[in-house]
Amino acid sequence: MEDWASRHRKWLWSLACAGLALVIVGFSVRTPVKEWWLAREACGGALPGGDLTTVRKDVRLGSEQESFDKDLGEYHCLLRSDADQVVVAVDAHPPGAARDEELRFVGAYYPPHAVLPGGLPGFEDQHSRVFLMPECPNGIKGPLRKDHRVLVTTWTYFAESREEKAAMLRLAVRMTNEVTTKLGCGGEPLPAPKDGAVPDTGRFVPRADAKDTACNALAISRVPAEGRDGEVRIAIADGGIVGRCTLYASKDDDDSDRRGRRLVELTSWRGDWGTNVHDGGSGFDPLPMGAGTWKPALTEYRAWAVARCDGENAGFAAHWGDDSRPREERERGGKYQPPTEAEKQTQRVLLREYVAAFAKDQVRRGHCTGLELPESP
């Protein structure tokens, strides 16, 4: 017969097991509830549920942060997983120092890595961030009022597949429209991308086939010998903030999947970008594209032309590709020799030809005015 002490121990053990079960059940219930709440409330409740489900890829949500300062025009939203990884990050900056700091490294990564469809004013960079720069004439205060573009960047860490990229783009447009509404920018919201639309990394065509495209300048201009039968990457979209045409050298090996090296780069830029943007091989000087600095320029490394498109500044750049110099002027006698003055002059002449052909074509296509080219060297 059990004594009282034995019965009491069994009762305590049963009570402990029941308590543990309640804790486990409570935790298992609380975790989905917390995730539901985070998905519902993150970024002010503006994240589209279906698109968030797609880009998070079944990752458990862990925390969210949001801040908005209307006076500064800044917005920040961050949704993290339970492992502290970024799921969605949205950051908005008005014209000024903070926005310029965000943009000054853009050129170093050869934007656009991908252009955006449907006339969206932006691009995707190599780190899968979507940059959108909508106009905000009613929401920007202060001395930089002539510069109306707000920068909104959206990053979804786990978006890789085409379906996920499409959801990422829809989410970026939705959040950009939310920010411009918060700022009271006025005007029409950005159009939602068509179903399945994704950032486009551009298309590669034989140089001859670039004729009459937005990269026509590379088909009709004199180019280094190794690029005459090369390829052109066309990454320019209607309404884009940045566009790029790249001439690649002919492949050394027909069986290789690798492209030849970059020889010539042509880029177009819309809007004021600050004073510290470097564009790939354009040399050590930043592009002259800040407030009050939009003027033609020419060196042996790059050429720059300017115009006005839809009432705002537009710039057009031409520069050498991977190492800033044609191969013929880089290798002499098996070791590097700096270019002679005559070679520098040749480089300046060619770069001016490239930028003149490119800018004239872009101005015609964009119905721009006031084109200014650098003076002939």
Side-chain angles (χ1 to χ4, degrees):
M1 186 173 182
E2 287 184 311
D3 58 16
W4 178 88
S6 296
R7 291 197 302 273
H8 186 63
R9 281 195 299 271
K10 287 183 178 179
W11 177 78
L12 288 176
W13 175 250
S14 299
L15 187 63
C17 289
L20 179 60
L22 286 173
V23 169
I24 293 172
V25 170
F27 179 80
S28 64
V29 170
R30 190 163 60 246
T31 297
V33 169
K34 178 183 178 182
E35 289 201 272
W36 170 84
W37 184 88
L38 287 170
R40 180 177 179 273
E41 297 297 320
C43 300
L47 296 177
D51 291 334
L52 176 58
T53 298
T54 299
V55 300
R56 65 182 273 201
K57 297 174 72 169
D58 296 323
V59 171
R60 282 187 175 179
L61 302 180
S63 64
E64 62 93 19
Q65 296 172 274
E66 185 187 28
S67 65
F68 174 58
D69 189 320
K70 187 166 185 177
D71 292 333
L72 293 178
E74 293 192 1
Y75 175 84
H76 304 281
C77 163
L78 182 62
L79 177 62
R80 291 183 178 273
S81 72
D82 61 352
D84 207 32
Q85 291 177 301
V86 173
V87 177
V88 177
V90 181
D91 296 284
H93 301 283
R99 193 196 72 172
D100 291 351
E101 182 66 21
E102 286 291 309
L103 291 174
R104 74 189 188 96
F105 295 109
V106 164
Y109 295 104
Y110 290 94
H113 175 68
V115 295
L116 304 184
L120 292 172
F123 60 94
E124 182 191 26
D125 74 3
Q126 285 181 312
H127 303 292
S128 295
R129 281 197 304 170
V130 175
F131 286 66
L132 284 165
M133 294 178 68
E135 294 190 35
C136 187
N138 299 332
I140 303 299
K141 298 178 174 61
L144 293 172
R145 193 173 180 84
K146 288 185 178 180
D147 184 357
H148 293 157
R149 290 195 182 271
V150 171
L151 170 66
V152 183
T153 63
T154 304
W155 186 40
T156 54
Y157 178 82
F158 298 101
E160 296 173 353
S161 70
R162 187 177 181 89
E163 180 187 12
E164 291 154 4
K165 288 282 190 179
M168 173 190 74
L169 184 59
R170 291 191 298 267
L171 191 151
V173 171
R174 170 73 174 272
M175 289 309 302
T176 298
N177 286 336
E178 286 290 323
V179 169
T180 55
T181 298
K182 283 178 178 290
L183 290 173
C185 291
E188 294 295 322
L190 296 180
K194 293 182 179 179
D195 287 345
V198 297
D200 182 5
T201 55
R203 58 193 177 100
F204 290 85
V205 301
R207 177 176 170 248
D209 291 348
K211 192 171 183 180
D212 298 327
T213 70
C215 298
N216 181 65
L218 292 175
I220 65 173
S221 302
R222 295 183 297 164
V223 297
E226 54 188 313
R228 289 170 190 161
D229 297 317
E231 285 185 301
V232 173
R233 177 195 174 210
I234 303 173
I236 294 184
D238 292 338
I241 295 298
V242 185
R244 184 173 298 268
C245 301
T246 308
L247 174 65
Y248 288 80
S250 304
K251 295 178 184 177
D252 294 330
D253 181 356
D254 290 339
D255 295 329
S256 173
D257 290 332
R258 297 180 60 188
R259 287 192 161 81
R261 68 189 189 93
R262 285 184 289 245
L263 298 176
V264 180
E265 300 266 11
L266 306 176
T267 50
S268 60
W269 305 79
R270 180 74 72 92
D272 289 318
W273 288 69
T275 56
N276 291 306
V277 177
H278 293 257
D279 184 13
S282 62
F284 300 105
D285 299 329
L287 296 177
M289 57 203 302
T293 64
W294 287 75
K295 298 176 182 178
L298 178 65
T299 71
E300 63 267 29
Y301 298 110
R302 64 161 170 82
W304 177 256
V306 298
R308 297 284 291 179
C309 300
D310 296 324
E312 66 180 338
N313 287 327
F316 309 96
H319 62 76
W320 305 116
D322 288 335
D323 68 352
S324 302
R325 292 177 304 278
R327 177 174 292 177
E328 299 92 327
E329 296 166 6
R330 189 173 89 248
E331 298 174 356
R332 290 192 295 277
K335 70 175 185 177
Y336 169 74
Q337 294 288 335
T340 66
E341 286 303 316
E343 289 167 340
K344 289 181 181 179
Q345 176 70 0
T346 298
Q347 291 180 210
R348 286 190 287 265
V349 168
L350 285 173
L351 287 176
R352 188 186 183 280
E353 286 183 15
Y354 299 148
V355 84
F358 181 56
K360 288 177 182 178
D361 185 58
Q362 291 295 305
V363 164
R364 178 182 59 81
R365 292 171 183 272
H367 306 289
C368 306
T369 60
L371 175 62
E372 296 181 57
L373 299 173
E375 292 184 5
S376 297

